[in-house]
Amino acid sequence: MMRSVVRGFGAALPKRVMTNKEIEAKVDTSDEWIVQRTGIHQRYIAGEGETTASLGESAARAALARAGLTAEDIDLIIVATSTPDNTFPATAVNIQNRLGMRHGAAFDLQAVCSGFVYGVATADAYIRGGLAKRALVIGAETFSRILDWSDRTTCVLFGDGAGAIILEAQEGEGTNADRGVLTAQLRSDGIHGDKLYVDGGPSTTGTVGHLRMEGREVFKHAVGMITDVIEAAFEATGTTADDVDWLVPHQANRRIIDGSAKKLGIPLDKVVVTVDLHGNTSAASIPLALDTAASDGRIKKGDLVMLEAMGGGFTWGSVLIRW
């Protein structure tokens, strides 16, 4: 069986760090309130010259360097983003050009905070179908540019950044001992579209718009939806929570992360948490967390790693990977 094996990983963050204290000067909130409700202490904010494409390029170059590869070795680029540099061309094509890559295919994928999970699942399908040998999957966002900085319920939550992994086609034996993607579970339900959205777009208002969210509604659905796709991954592979070495969740809110782990019976010391440092970076949050935990040696070759996310739409999904 052909497997999509992680060959490299990388990340990139803007230069500027914005602390909760700085946000206190913008809106009626406090560091104590933000930390208690979300677990966030700081986030990174893109400055002049820093864009989704530039951050994505930096993350891609870091992943290539770690893998010992060049752009010539990649034949597919998928960029998960809700904040592209332009309506078109795709940010993936922009990054392809920045990398000097003149072959293969590149496209953007939009599933909001679930985008990276969707991107990994899509790349895995390309690889298993023989349409790609090596895929660069990037999650990159500049959410600070669609925030309403007068809305204290949303502006405290989000940050900017990018992360990337390289998936490579390798033969496996078709068992759970294989390295690579073992299963992907994707879901969506558009009935929830008005609970987390941007109030603008080319075809409606002709503007970029701002992020709007019904926080309580999102929280209410999050733990159940996340549990759904993780349990589906267990069922598909015959594994259990005890088999998981690391849970790498979308970094939206510490309470959601802790609640999901508790419901699944996964100890918190097996959960990778970076929301305190990065905030919610949407599609970039999982690859940023992967880079953090793999770089510091927590995630090691052979570990069973569960990725999960939920985002606007609603979309949600999981990917189980043998690292």
Side-chain angles (χ1 to χ4, degrees), residues 103-119:
H103 64 278
F107 59 87
D108 288 358
L109 186 153
Q110 224 290 40
V112 202
C113 300
S114 306
F116 186 76
V117 168
Y118 271 62

Side-chain angles (χ1 to χ4, degrees), residues 15 25 30 53 60 86 99 121 128 140 152 199 203 218 276-277 286 312:
K15 296 176 183 177
S30 69
N86 302 94
L99 294 175
R128 286 188 292 105
R152 67 175 185 172
D199 62 0
S203 185
V218 174
D276 55 328
L277 301 176
I286 289 177

Side-chain angles (χ1 to χ4, degrees), residues 52-68:
T52 296
S54 71
L55 292 168
E57 176 197 0
S58 295
R61 290 189 182 279
L64 288 166
R66 190 177 292 273

Side-chain angles (χ1 to χ4, degrees), residues 121-142:
T122 302
D124 178 52
Y126 271 72
I127 288 171
R128 286 188 292 105
L131 297 176
K133 292 183 179 179
R134 292 191 189 95
L136 180 59
V137 184
I138 304 168
E141 302 282 15
T142 47

Side-chain angles (χ1 to χ4, degrees), residues 20 31-43 156-157 251-258 273-280:
N20 291 344
D31 174 67
E32 181 182 13
W33 186 92
I34 296 170
V35 172
Q36 182 183 28
R37 297 296 184 94
T38 70
I40 298 169
H41 291 268
Q42 64 172 48
R43 71 286 296 147
V156 303
L157 300 174
Q251 306 290 316
N253 181 302
R254 184 62 194 256
R255 292 194 297 167
I256 294 174
I257 293 170
D258 291 352
V273 178
T274 58
V275 69
D276 55 328
L277 301 176
H278 302 153
N280 183 345

